[in-house]
Amino acid sequence: MTFRIAMWSGPRNLSTAMMRSFGSRSDTFVSDEPFYGCFLKQTGADHPMREAVIESMDCDWHGVMRTLSGDAPDGAPIWYQKHMWHMMTGPVGYDDFAGFHHAFLIREPERMIASYLKKREAARFEDFGLEQQAEFFERESDRLGRAPPVVDAADVLADPEGVLSRLCETLGIPWDEAMLRWAPGRRETDGVWASHWYGAVERSTGFGKPEEGAADLDDGDRDLADRIRPYYERLAAHRLTA
């Protein structure tokens, strides 16, 4: 039986490096934002490489969900799925993920927004999906009777082995030191959008150094960070530490 991990994140949350980390395990297959095509086709959102993304993916919500609920494509015992909450605008919701093991990846709002603005001209509240993520987190907490694992990007950068080994322990899978390093370059499992978004990860061979200094935002984007912060803090209160 496949052990399916749904890692929920907003954009620019160290999510691709985390996918690289899990993809370095010999027992794990990874999927990169499988609902991205569905989201673009349904909403008409003007994202970089929009048409190429739609053409490269299954854009039927229920069809994608059926695939994700099955066995990993290469027969791997663990299937790590990288999901973005702002993309979940269609008919697939919490109840469709029965049998999945959920984890949540978060990042300080100011740093998340500053990173996003390096790739887009403007940022909106809806671009990050934190409200949906917090609601999903609370439903999963109620189901489990405890908080599901939450990982903060800053904690991962400060102590990758300590935090990731705790994540594996909490998920119930063995720790694998291969998660700490990987070869540079693109992967067959990367989405077609990698050429726009994944430059830094493609040059990397592991997690980077902790970020220093304050994020550089204008007043409008700081207001956006203030709006996002309560949702971030609801999850950050439960984050795993080494």
Side-chain angles (χ1 to χ4, degrees), residues 4 17-18 20 23 32 37 59 69 84 92 97 100 123 133 147 163 181 190 192 209 225:
R4 292 183 294 275
M18 188 69 75
R20 281 287 188 276
D32 190 8
C59 295
S69 300
M84 295 283 159
V92 170
F97 286 88
F100 284 65
Q133 188 182 42
V163 174
R181 63 193 67 87
D190 290 349
V192 69
K209 296 179 180 179

Side-chain angles (χ1 to χ4, degrees), residues 10-231:
R12 316 305 291 177
N13 278 15
L14 207 71
S15 57
T16 307
M18 188 69 75
M19 182 175 68
R20 281 287 188 276
S21 177
F22 272 87
S24 297
R25 299 174 60 106
S26 61
D27 60 359
T28 302
F29 181 83
V30 299
S31 287
D32 190 8
E33 302 177 25
F35 289 105
Y36 196 6
C38 299
F39 162 75
L40 291 177
K41 186 173 182 178
Q42 181 195 52
T43 64
D46 184 20
H47 280 211
M49 303 183 67
R50 167 188 157 79
E51 295 305 322
V53 174
I54 291 173
E55 291 175 6
S56 71
M57 304 187 76
D58 181 358
C59 295
D60 174 72
W61 291 93
H62 294 298
V64 174
M65 192 70 246
R66 284 192 297 270
T67 298
L68 298 177
S69 300
D71 293 332
D74 66 350
I78 299 173
W79 189 352
Y80 178 92
Q81 301 170 6
K82 171 190 168 190
H83 293 293
M84 295 283 159
W85 257 117
H86 67 283
M87 296 179 183
M88 303 305 293
T89 58
V92 170
Y94 175 79
D95 293 334
D96 295 297
F97 286 88
F100 284 65
H101 300 266
H102 299 283
F104 297 80
L105 179 61
I106 60 175
R107 188 180 187 186
E108 181 188 34
E110 288 82 0
R111 294 199 183 280
M112 179 176 65
I113 293 168
S115 179
Y116 187 83
L117 290 172
K118 292 178 181 178
K119 298 293 184 177
R120 304 293 305 275
E121 292 183 359
R124 306 172 305 152
F125 180 76
E126 295 78 12
D127 293 328
F128 299 98
L130 270 294
E131 184 174 13
Q132 300 99 306
Q133 188 182 42
E135 179 184 358
F136 193 104
F137 171 82
E138 289 169 0
R139 292 186 67 176
E140 184 66 2
S141 297
D142 289 343
R143 185 185 74 82
L144 294 173
R146 56 174 173 80
V150 178
V151 176
D152 193 303
D155 295 330
V156 175
L157 294 177
D159 185 357
E161 181 172 0
V163 174
L164 293 179
S165 61
R166 281 290 313 282
L167 174 60
C168 291
E169 177 186 4
T170 306
L171 287 169
I173 62 175
W175 163 243
D176 188 340
E177 290 189 357
M179 295 177 68
L180 298 176
R181 63 193 67 87
W182 50 83
R186 197 166 298 174
R187 303 290 187 272
E188 290 184 4
T189 48
D190 290 349
V192 69
W193 54 89
S195 60
H196 180 83
W197 294 99
Y198 294 176
V201 170
E202 289 178 3
R203 295 188 296 272
S204 71
T205 58
F207 291 100
K209 296 179 180 179
E211 297 174 304
E212 298 180 352
D216 184 18
L217 298 177
D218 64 23
D219 289 344
D221 292 318
R222 290 199 176 279
D223 289 343
L224 174 60
D226 289 342
R227 183 180 177 189
I228 289 173
R229 179 163 292 279
Y231 301 105

